[in-house]
Amino acid sequence: MEVEQIIEGGRRKEQEHSQRGYTNRGRERRQMKETRFSRGWFHLAMWSGLLMTFAILAPLLLVSKGHQQQAVPSPQGGKAAVSLAAEPADAPPYVRVYISATRKVERIALERYVRGVVAAEMPERFELEALKAQAIAARTYIVRRLARGDVGGAAGGADVTDTVAHQAYVPLAKLTERQHDAIAKLNRAVNDTAGLVLTYKDKPIEATFFSTSNGYTENVEDYWNQKLPYLRSVSSPWDKKLSPRFMTTVRMEADDFLQKLGVSVNAVPALKAAISNRDKGVESSDSLSSAIELLSVTKGKRIGEVQVGTHTFSGREFREKLGLSSSAISWKMENGKIVLTTYGYGHGVGMSQYGAQGMALEGASAERILTYYYQGVKLTPVSRVLEKIDTAYAKR
């Protein structure tokens, strides 16, 4: 019995130890669960805090980034992009445009006129900031004319024509034929800059622009007979890479070349000999050094003056008489013909459109583009410029 009691007592102690062990293990499991639960709440609180911090700082970071890029101030008061892509406002002042194809005058609101100019003057595939820069330049051009009462070169009681004599323009009827996305992008460029023009000393500038530079823009006095402080020569390195119009080659017969310039064959012995040899089927010298002489070069790396025989021409005269793309020109004689190679497309004064595209691709804002190509200018609400215009005139 004593043995049995001892054994029974041992079993009881083992059970007690076992129960205590189970209790301890349960307590340990509960503690582990509580620890994991606490850690879970800690992680959740930590991530929630981080997300709240990001939500607070993100708008500030975006505003800071926009400030660094000098974004064009929008008069739309922060409206959604959908509204910015809507039809530009039908509000005064109105522009009267002579449409060459129909020989009729189209009366259209300023902002819708600007859209038609951007559609005609710049490819819609260009970056939005480049299109916005074009919209401001186009608006400045027409507002300057309206403010001055300038209707020079316009027929039929119009303010401007729809040609490059003023600004190319796509009439409303033609614009509706374009893709919806293209029109929405044009609307955005116009609406996002609505009412903004470029001024110098509080007056709208002569906002000239052109397609492609030769690597530089031109001082205005080197092409037109006037000097303006904001139309100065600047480098424009983007054009060569981006523009399909950067280099053009034209071949001319020597007599055709002289006829276009209004120069007598007898005034240029070297070309007279070349023409004679051509007519006889004889090979002639491929040198033009004694026939065409470059006298000076402008700051924009274009022809200042050139002499053909005894006649002297400005770069502009030489370009326009020969019907060339630019006044940045090189020449040579090849196989009895004069080969003329031009660099750039257009007069070269003011904003280069392909240069604007290049700057936009690098992240420049419309304001940055404009203040680069037009020196010392600022953006001004159009209302300030048109204050002096008679109310009846503005609302015609």
Side-chain angles (χ1 to χ4, degrees):
M1 288 294 294
E2 291 178 357
V3 173
E4 291 175 355
Q5 288 175 350
I6 292 171
I7 292 172
E8 183 64 22
R11 285 176 178 170
R12 287 175 182 171
K13 288 181 179 180
E14 287 176 357
Q15 288 175 353
E16 289 173 0
H17 285 301
S18 176
Q19 288 175 352
R20 280 196 295 270
Y22 177 81
T23 302
N24 290 337
R25 284 194 297 274
R27 186 180 298 112
E28 289 173 357
R29 288 193 185 99
R30 285 195 300 273
Q31 289 175 346
M32 289 175 67
K33 287 180 179 179
E34 289 172 358
T35 300
R36 288 172 183 166
F37 184 77
S38 298
R39 287 177 180 173
W41 273 106
F42 172 76
H43 289 154
L44 180 61
M46 181 180 70
W47 283 110
S48 297
L50 288 173
L51 288 172
M52 288 178 67
T53 301
F54 178 76
I56 293 169
L57 292 178
L60 298 176
L61 292 172
L62 289 172
V63 169
S64 175
K65 183 177 180 182
H67 174 71
Q68 290 172 358
Q69 290 185 347
Q70 295 179 306
V72 172
S74 172
Q76 302 299 322
K79 289 183 179 179
V82 174
S83 64
L84 288 174
E87 190 84 356
D90 184 7
Y94 290 90
V95 182
R96 299 172 302 187
V97 189
Y98 180 80
I99 309 300
S100 304
T102 61
R103 297 183 181 181
K104 293 181 179 179
V105 174
E106 182 170 285
R107 180 180 178 273
I108 188 167
L110 173 65
E111 298 302 331
R112 295 187 181 186
Y113 168 74
V114 171
R115 178 184 58 179
V117 173
V118 177
E121 292 281 7
M122 183 174 275
E124 294 132 2
R125 60 181 172 78
F126 273 26
E127 294 293 299
L128 181 62
E129 292 302 312
L131 291 167
K132 285 161 68 173
Q134 180 66 68
I136 295 171
R139 186 182 298 109
T140 302
Y141 176 89
I142 187 61
V143 165
R144 186 173 187 269
R145 280 181 68 91
L146 293 178
R148 292 158 62 96
D150 183 1
V151 293
D159 299 305
V160 287
T161 66
D162 62 347
T163 71
V164 293
H166 298 111
Q167 296 187 119
Y169 167 79
V170 177
L172 284 173
K174 287 290 183 183
L175 192 62
T176 57
E177 297 174 3
R178 300 202 179 185
Q179 295 292 324
H180 174 77
D181 290 348
I183 295 175
K185 190 174 182 182
L186 291 170
N187 289 345
R188 175 68 187 269
V190 173
N191 290 331
D192 210 22
T193 64
L196 293 175
V197 295
L198 294 165
T199 60
Y200 183 86
K201 294 185 177 180
D202 298 323
K203 294 182 179 180
I205 70 166
E206 185 75 75
T208 58
F209 50 85
F210 62 99
S211 169
T212 306
S213 82
N214 64 330
Y216 300 86
T217 66
E218 191 78 293
N219 283 337
V220 63
E221 66 270 20
D222 289 332
Y223 199 81
W224 289 298
N225 294 324
Q226 60 177 327
K227 187 172 183 177
L228 296 170
Y230 49 83
L231 291 177
R232 315 315 299 155
S233 177
V234 297
S235 65
S236 187
W238 307 276
D239 307 58
K240 183 176 181 179
K241 179 180 178 181
L242 296 176
S243 178
R245 293 174 159 182
F246 179 75
M247 187 171 72
T248 306
T249 299
V250 175
R251 289 173 170 78
M252 290 186 189
E253 297 288 354
D255 44 2
D256 185 33
F257 171 81
L258 292 173
Q259 184 179 10
K260 287 183 176 181
L261 290 174
V263 175
S264 168
V265 174
N266 295 324
V268 192
L271 292 184
K272 182 179 181 180
I275 294 168
S276 177
N277 289 336
R278 180 201 63 192
D279 294 342
K280 294 176 183 177
V282 177
E283 237 181 83
S284 59
S285 170
D286 284 342
S287 174
L288 283 176
S289 58
S290 63
I292 308 173
E293 183 182 359
L294 180 63
L295 300 178
S296 64
V297 177
T298 68
K299 188 175 181 181
K301 314 298 181 185
R302 293 167 176 81
I303 294 173
E305 284 190 323
V306 62
Q307 185 171 318
V308 180
T310 58
H311 295 258
T312 301
F313 303 92
S314 69
R316 178 186 177 184
E317 290 171 333
F318 194 68
R319 173 211 172 193
E320 293 181 356
K321 285 179 179 292
L322 295 173
L324 301 177
S325 300
S326 166
S327 55
I329 309 165
S330 65
W331 50 81
K332 64 180 179 179
M333 184 73 97
E334 186 177 86
N335 299 325
K337 291 186 177 181
I338 297 174
V339 180
L340 300 153
T341 301
T342 59
Y343 303 89
Y345 194 97
H347 48 66
V349 180
M351 183 181 73
S352 163
Q353 292 168 319
Y354 273 93
Q357 170 70 348
M359 291 184 71
L361 286 169
E362 292 180 358
S365 68
E367 183 177 10
R368 176 73 187 98
I369 293 167
L370 293 166
T371 54
Y372 178 75
Y373 283 109
Y374 304 106
Q375 302 286 294
V377 303
K378 63 180 181 180
L379 292 173
T380 304
V382 69
S383 56
R384 293 184 192 173
V385 177
L386 295 179
E387 282 174 354
K388 297 180 181 179
I389 294 182
D390 183 80
T391 304
Y393 174 83
K395 294 183 177 180
R396 330 162 272 168

